[in-house]
Amino acid sequence: VQLVESGGGLVQPGGSLTLSCVGSGNPYSFDVMGWYRQAPGKEREMVARLPSGRSAIYADSVKGRFTIFRGKIENTVSLQMTSLKPEDAAVYFCHADQWYSDSEYWGQGTPVTVSS
């Protein structure tokens, strides 16, 4: 099973960026897909999670600015980020849970830089 992120890059404060994640090698649908981030010197933190068939969960710091959504293609997830702030800069990781096998998977990460 592999998760591959794309869409990271440099954006100015107040700008927008959309990250995408494609999961492959899994014959089943992931039960949860989400995004985490890790800034230099800080611990990895949850940004947004979307359980299948349920409402999304967001970190307080991104509520109202970020939107997570599953793609039409199975095992894909995107994160639409708006009103970006310098403190949003981090490496963003795609994450997926498979409950029946008690497995979790991580992508390799995509960097987001917010700077003028």
Side-chain angles (χ1 to χ4, degrees):
V1 175
Q2 190 176 19
L3 301 176
V4 178
E5 304 99 333
S6 62
L10 172 64
V11 62
Q12 292 185 345
S16 300
L17 207 59
T18 298
L19 306 181
S20 296
C21 173
V22 177
S24 61
N26 184 9
Y28 307 103
S29 179
F30 290 119
D31 295 291
V32 184
M33 295 194 77
W35 292 91
Y36 289 69
R37 68 186 181 188
Q38 187 167 19
K42 295 187 176 181
E43 293 187 355
R44 190 172 297 188
E45 62 175 356
M46 189 277 292
V47 176
R49 284 167 57 82
L50 185 56
S52 181
R54 301 183 185 181
S55 299
I57 302 166
Y58 295 96
D60 288 342
S61 60
V62 307
K63 283 181 181 176
R65 300 188 297 121
F66 290 11
T67 303
I68 185 173
F69 55 95
R70 299 285 287 259
K72 293 182 178 180
I73 299 174
E74 193 170 43
N75 290 338
T76 61
V77 65
S78 296
L79 183 69
Q80 184 180 49
M81 305 183 293
T82 63
S83 302
L84 282 161
K85 305 175 182 180
E87 51 264 42
D88 293 318
V91 177
Y92 283 71
F93 297 89
C94 181
H95 179 263
D97 287 314
Q98 192 79 69
W99 291 341
Y100 88 92
S101 61
D102 195 25
S103 301
E104 65 171 352
Y105 305 95
W106 291 95
Q108 80 288 353
T110 185
V112 172
T113 303
V114 184
S115 175
S116 55

Short mmCIF file of all heavy atoms in Angstrom, two decimals, residues 72-108:
data_model
loop_
_atom_site.label_atom_id
_atom_site.label_comp_id
_atom_site.label_asym_id
_atom_site.label_seq_id
_atom_site.Cartn_x
_atom_site.Cartn_y
_atom_site.Cartn_z
N LYS A 72 -13.47 11.42 -6.07
CA LYS A 72 -14.39 10.50 -6.73
C LYS A 72 -13.71 9.15 -6.97
O LYS A 72 -14.37 8.10 -7.00
CB LYS A 72 -14.89 11.09 -8.04
CG LYS A 72 -15.79 12.31 -7.86
CD LYS A 72 -16.28 12.82 -9.20
CE LYS A 72 -17.22 14.02 -9.00
NZ LYS A 72 -17.72 14.54 -10.30
N ILE A 73 -12.41 9.19 -7.14
CA ILE A 73 -11.64 7.95 -7.29
C ILE A 73 -11.39 7.39 -5.90
O ILE A 73 -11.01 8.12 -4.99
CB ILE A 73 -10.30 8.21 -8.01
CG1 ILE A 73 -10.57 8.76 -9.41
CG2 ILE A 73 -9.47 6.94 -8.07
CD1 ILE A 73 -9.33 9.18 -10.15
N GLU A 74 -11.60 6.12 -5.73
CA GLU A 74 -11.46 5.51 -4.40
C GLU A 74 -10.05 5.70 -3.85
O GLU A 74 -9.06 5.69 -4.58
CB GLU A 74 -11.79 4.03 -4.50
CG GLU A 74 -11.98 3.35 -3.14
CD GLU A 74 -12.53 1.95 -3.30
OE1 GLU A 74 -12.05 1.23 -4.18
OE2 GLU A 74 -13.44 1.58 -2.53
N ASN A 75 -10.01 5.88 -2.55
CA ASN A 75 -8.74 6.02 -1.83
C ASN A 75 -7.93 7.24 -2.27
O ASN A 75 -6.69 7.20 -2.36
CB ASN A 75 -7.91 4.75 -1.94
CG ASN A 75 -8.53 3.61 -1.15
OD1 ASN A 75 -9.31 3.84 -0.22
ND2 ASN A 75 -8.19 2.39 -1.52
N THR A 76 -8.63 8.31 -2.54
CA THR A 76 -7.98 9.59 -2.77
C THR A 76 -8.58 10.61 -1.81
O THR A 76 -9.75 10.52 -1.44
CB THR A 76 -8.14 10.09 -4.21
OG1 THR A 76 -9.53 10.28 -4.50
CG2 THR A 76 -7.57 9.09 -5.20
N VAL A 77 -7.76 11.55 -1.41
CA VAL A 77 -8.22 12.60 -0.49
C VAL A 77 -7.48 13.88 -0.81
O VAL A 77 -6.33 13.85 -1.22
CB VAL A 77 -8.00 12.18 0.98
CG1 VAL A 77 -6.51 12.06 1.31
CG2 VAL A 77 -8.68 13.15 1.94
N SER A 78 -8.18 14.98 -0.66
CA SER A 78 -7.57 16.28 -0.92
C SER A 78 -7.78 17.21 0.27
O SER A 78 -8.70 17.01 1.06
CB SER A 78 -8.16 16.92 -2.18
OG SER A 78 -7.86 16.16 -3.33
N LEU A 79 -6.93 18.19 0.35
CA LEU A 79 -7.04 19.19 1.41
C LEU A 79 -6.95 20.57 0.75
O LEU A 79 -5.91 20.94 0.21
CB LEU A 79 -5.91 19.04 2.43
CG LEU A 79 -5.96 20.00 3.62
CD1 LEU A 79 -7.15 19.65 4.52
CD2 LEU A 79 -4.66 19.94 4.42
N GLN A 80 -8.05 21.27 0.76
CA GLN A 80 -8.09 22.62 0.22
C GLN A 80 -7.77 23.60 1.33
O GLN A 80 -8.46 23.63 2.36
CB GLN A 80 -9.47 22.92 -0.36
CG GLN A 80 -9.57 24.28 -1.04
CD GLN A 80 -10.96 24.52 -1.61
OE1 GLN A 80 -11.97 24.35 -0.94
NE2 GLN A 80 -11.00 24.92 -2.86
N MET A 81 -6.71 24.36 1.15
CA MET A 81 -6.25 25.27 2.18
C MET A 81 -6.39 26.71 1.69
O MET A 81 -5.89 27.05 0.61
CB MET A 81 -4.78 24.99 2.52
CG MET A 81 -4.52 23.54 2.91
SD MET A 81 -2.82 23.22 3.41
CE MET A 81 -1.97 23.47 1.86
N THR A 82 -7.07 27.53 2.44
CA THR A 82 -7.25 28.93 2.09
C THR A 82 -6.79 29.81 3.24
O THR A 82 -6.57 29.34 4.35
CB THR A 82 -8.72 29.24 1.77
OG1 THR A 82 -9.52 29.01 2.93
CG2 THR A 82 -9.23 28.34 0.64
N SER A 83 -6.64 31.10 2.95
CA SER A 83 -6.20 32.06 3.97
C SER A 83 -4.97 31.56 4.72
O SER A 83 -4.92 31.59 5.95
CB SER A 83 -7.35 32.36 4.94
OG SER A 83 -8.48 32.86 4.27
N LEU A 84 -4.02 31.08 3.99
CA LEU A 84 -2.84 30.47 4.59
C LEU A 84 -2.03 31.48 5.39
O LEU A 84 -1.90 32.65 5.00
CB LEU A 84 -1.98 29.81 3.53
CG LEU A 84 -2.51 28.45 3.06
CD1 LEU A 84 -1.92 28.07 1.72
CD2 LEU A 84 -2.23 27.38 4.10
N LYS A 85 -1.49 31.00 6.50
CA LYS A 85 -0.70 31.82 7.40
C LYS A 85 0.72 31.26 7.47
O LYS A 85 0.93 30.07 7.21
CB LYS A 85 -1.32 31.80 8.80
CG LYS A 85 -2.78 32.21 8.86
CD LYS A 85 -3.33 32.03 10.26
CE LYS A 85 -4.81 32.39 10.34
NZ LYS A 85 -5.34 32.22 11.72
N PRO A 86 1.67 32.08 7.84
CA PRO A 86 3.04 31.57 7.98
C PRO A 86 3.13 30.36 8.91
O PRO A 86 3.95 29.45 8.68
CB PRO A 86 3.81 32.77 8.53
CG PRO A 86 3.06 33.95 8.00
CD PRO A 86 1.62 33.53 8.02
N GLU A 87 2.29 30.33 9.93
CA GLU A 87 2.32 29.20 10.87
C GLU A 87 1.74 27.91 10.28
O GLU A 87 1.82 26.86 10.91
CB GLU A 87 1.59 29.55 12.17
CG GLU A 87 0.18 30.10 11.99
CD GLU A 87 0.16 31.63 12.03
OE1 GLU A 87 1.07 32.26 11.43
OE2 GLU A 87 -0.78 32.17 12.63
N ASP A 88 1.17 27.98 9.09
CA ASP A 88 0.71 26.77 8.41
C ASP A 88 1.85 26.07 7.67
O ASP A 88 1.68 24.95 7.19
CB ASP A 88 -0.39 27.11 7.39
CG ASP A 88 -1.67 27.60 8.04
OD1 ASP A 88 -2.08 27.01 9.06
OD2 ASP A 88 -2.27 28.55 7.52
N ALA A 89 2.98 26.72 7.57
CA ALA A 89 4.11 26.12 6.86
C ALA A 89 4.57 24.86 7.58
O ALA A 89 4.79 24.86 8.80
CB ALA A 89 5.26 27.12 6.78
N ALA A 90 4.72 23.80 6.83
CA ALA A 90 5.10 22.50 7.41
C ALA A 90 5.20 21.49 6.27
O ALA A 90 4.85 21.79 5.12
CB ALA A 90 4.07 22.04 8.43
N VAL A 91 5.65 20.32 6.63
CA VAL A 91 5.53 19.19 5.71
C VAL A 91 4.19 18.51 6.02
O VAL A 91 3.91 18.18 7.17
CB VAL A 91 6.69 18.19 5.89
CG1 VAL A 91 6.48 16.99 4.96
CG2 VAL A 91 8.02 18.86 5.60
N TYR A 92 3.39 18.36 5.00
CA TYR A 92 2.05 17.78 5.15
C TYR A 92 2.08 16.31 4.71
O TYR A 92 2.56 15.99 3.61
CB TYR A 92 1.05 18.57 4.33
CG TYR A 92 0.65 19.87 4.98
CD1 TYR A 92 1.56 20.93 5.05
CD2 TYR A 92 -0.61 20.05 5.55
CE1 TYR A 92 1.22 22.13 5.68
CE2 TYR A 92 -0.96 21.23 6.17
CZ TYR A 92 -0.04 22.27 6.23
OH TYR A 92 -0.40 23.45 6.84
N PHE A 93 1.54 15.47 5.57
CA PHE A 93 1.54 14.04 5.34
C PHE A 93 0.12 13.52 5.17
O PHE A 93 -0.77 13.84 5.97
CB PHE A 93 2.19 13.30 6.51
CG PHE A 93 3.64 13.63 6.72
CD1 PHE A 93 4.01 14.69 7.53
CD2 PHE A 93 4.63 12.87 6.11
CE1 PHE A 93 5.35 15.00 7.75
CE2 PHE A 93 5.97 13.17 6.32
CZ PHE A 93 6.33 14.23 7.13
N CYS A 94 -0.05 12.70 4.19
CA CYS A 94 -1.32 11.98 4.01
C CYS A 94 -1.30 10.75 4.92
O CYS A 94 -0.25 10.10 5.08
CB CYS A 94 -1.47 11.58 2.56
SG CYS A 94 -3.01 10.70 2.17
N HIS A 95 -2.44 10.44 5.50
CA HIS A 95 -2.54 9.31 6.42
C HIS A 95 -3.82 8.53 6.12
O HIS A 95 -4.83 9.13 5.75
CB HIS A 95 -2.55 9.81 7.86
CG HIS A 95 -2.69 8.73 8.88
ND1 HIS A 95 -3.90 8.39 9.43
CD2 HIS A 95 -1.75 7.93 9.44
CE1 HIS A 95 -3.70 7.41 10.30
NE2 HIS A 95 -2.41 7.12 10.32
N ALA A 96 -3.76 7.22 6.29
CA ALA A 96 -4.94 6.39 6.06
C ALA A 96 -5.00 5.26 7.08
O ALA A 96 -3.97 4.72 7.48
CB ALA A 96 -4.92 5.82 4.65
N ASP A 97 -6.20 4.95 7.49
CA ASP A 97 -6.45 3.85 8.42
C ASP A 97 -7.26 2.76 7.75
O ASP A 97 -8.21 3.05 7.01
CB ASP A 97 -7.26 4.34 9.64
CG ASP A 97 -6.43 5.17 10.58
OD1 ASP A 97 -5.31 4.76 10.89
OD2 ASP A 97 -6.91 6.24 11.00
N GLN A 98 -6.90 1.52 8.04
CA GLN A 98 -7.68 0.37 7.59
C GLN A 98 -8.08 -0.42 8.84
O GLN A 98 -7.25 -1.09 9.46
CB GLN A 98 -6.84 -0.51 6.66
CG GLN A 98 -7.64 -1.55 5.92
CD GLN A 98 -8.38 -0.96 4.74
OE1 GLN A 98 -7.78 -0.56 3.77
NE2 GLN A 98 -9.69 -0.91 4.83
N TRP A 99 -9.30 -0.31 9.24
CA TRP A 99 -9.71 -0.85 10.53
C TRP A 99 -9.66 -2.37 10.60
O TRP A 99 -9.25 -2.93 11.62
CB TRP A 99 -11.12 -0.36 10.87
CG TRP A 99 -11.15 1.11 11.17
CD1 TRP A 99 -10.09 1.90 11.53
CD2 TRP A 99 -12.29 1.97 11.13
NE1 TRP A 99 -10.51 3.21 11.71
CE2 TRP A 99 -11.85 3.26 11.49
CE3 TRP A 99 -13.64 1.77 10.85
CZ2 TRP A 99 -12.71 4.35 11.55
CZ3 TRP A 99 -14.50 2.85 10.92
CH2 TRP A 99 -14.03 4.13 11.26
N TYR A 100 -10.06 -3.07 9.53
CA TYR A 100 -10.19 -4.52 9.63
C TYR A 100 -8.84 -5.19 9.89
O TYR A 100 -8.77 -6.25 10.50
CB TYR A 100 -10.83 -5.09 8.35
CG TYR A 100 -9.85 -5.43 7.26
CD1 TYR A 100 -9.30 -6.71 7.15
CD2 TYR A 100 -9.46 -4.48 6.33
CE1 TYR A 100 -8.40 -7.02 6.15
CE2 TYR A 100 -8.56 -4.78 5.33
CZ TYR A 100 -8.03 -6.05 5.23
OH TYR A 100 -7.13 -6.35 4.25
N SER A 101 -7.78 -4.53 9.42
CA SER A 101 -6.44 -5.09 9.63
C SER A 101 -5.65 -4.31 10.67
O SER A 101 -4.48 -4.61 10.92
CB SER A 101 -5.65 -5.09 8.32
OG SER A 101 -5.50 -3.77 7.83
N ASP A 102 -6.33 -3.30 11.29
CA ASP A 102 -5.66 -2.46 12.28
C ASP A 102 -4.36 -1.90 11.70
O ASP A 102 -3.31 -1.91 12.36
CB ASP A 102 -5.39 -3.26 13.56
CG ASP A 102 -5.04 -2.34 14.73
OD1 ASP A 102 -5.47 -1.17 14.72
OD2 ASP A 102 -4.34 -2.79 15.66
N SER A 103 -4.44 -1.41 10.51
CA SER A 103 -3.25 -0.88 9.82
C SER A 103 -3.39 0.61 9.57
O SER A 103 -4.50 1.12 9.41
CB SER A 103 -3.05 -1.59 8.48
OG SER A 103 -2.90 -2.98 8.64
N GLU A 104 -2.26 1.26 9.54
CA GLU A 104 -2.24 2.67 9.17
C GLU A 104 -1.08 2.90 8.20
O GLU A 104 -0.07 2.18 8.23
CB GLU A 104 -2.09 3.58 10.38
CG GLU A 104 -0.81 3.47 11.15
CD GLU A 104 -0.66 4.55 12.21
OE1 GLU A 104 -1.50 5.48 12.25
OE2 GLU A 104 0.28 4.50 13.00
N TYR A 105 -1.25 3.90 7.36
CA TYR A 105 -0.27 4.16 6.33
C TYR A 105 0.01 5.65 6.25
O TYR A 105 -0.87 6.48 6.53
CB TYR A 105 -0.79 3.67 4.96
CG TYR A 105 -1.20 2.23 4.97
CD1 TYR A 105 -2.54 1.87 5.17
CD2 TYR A 105 -0.27 1.22 4.78
CE1 TYR A 105 -2.92 0.54 5.20
CE2 TYR A 105 -0.65 -0.11 4.80
CZ TYR A 105 -1.97 -0.45 5.00
OH TYR A 105 -2.35 -1.75 5.04
N TRP A 106 1.24 5.97 5.87
CA TRP A 106 1.68 7.37 5.75
C TRP A 106 2.27 7.61 4.36
O TRP A 106 2.94 6.74 3.80
CB TRP A 106 2.75 7.69 6.79
CG TRP A 106 2.26 7.70 8.19
CD1 TRP A 106 2.30 6.68 9.10
CD2 TRP A 106 1.67 8.82 8.88
NE1 TRP A 106 1.76 7.10 10.29
CE2 TRP A 106 1.37 8.40 10.18
CE3 TRP A 106 1.37 10.13 8.51
CZ2 TRP A 106 0.78 9.24 11.13
CZ3 TRP A 106 0.79 10.97 9.45
CH2 TRP A 106 0.49 10.52 10.73
N GLY A 107 2.05 8.80 3.86
CA GLY A 107 2.73 9.22 2.66
C GLY A 107 4.11 9.76 3.02
O GLY A 107 4.49 9.84 4.18
N GLN A 108 4.85 10.15 2.01
CA GLN A 108 6.22 10.62 2.23
C GLN A 108 6.27 12.09 2.62
O GLN A 108 7.30 12.59 3.07
CB GLN A 108 7.07 10.38 0.97
CG GLN A 108 6.90 11.43 -0.13
CD GLN A 108 5.58 11.34 -0.86
OE1 GLN A 108 4.80 10.42 -0.66
NE2 GLN A 108 5.31 12.32 -1.73
#
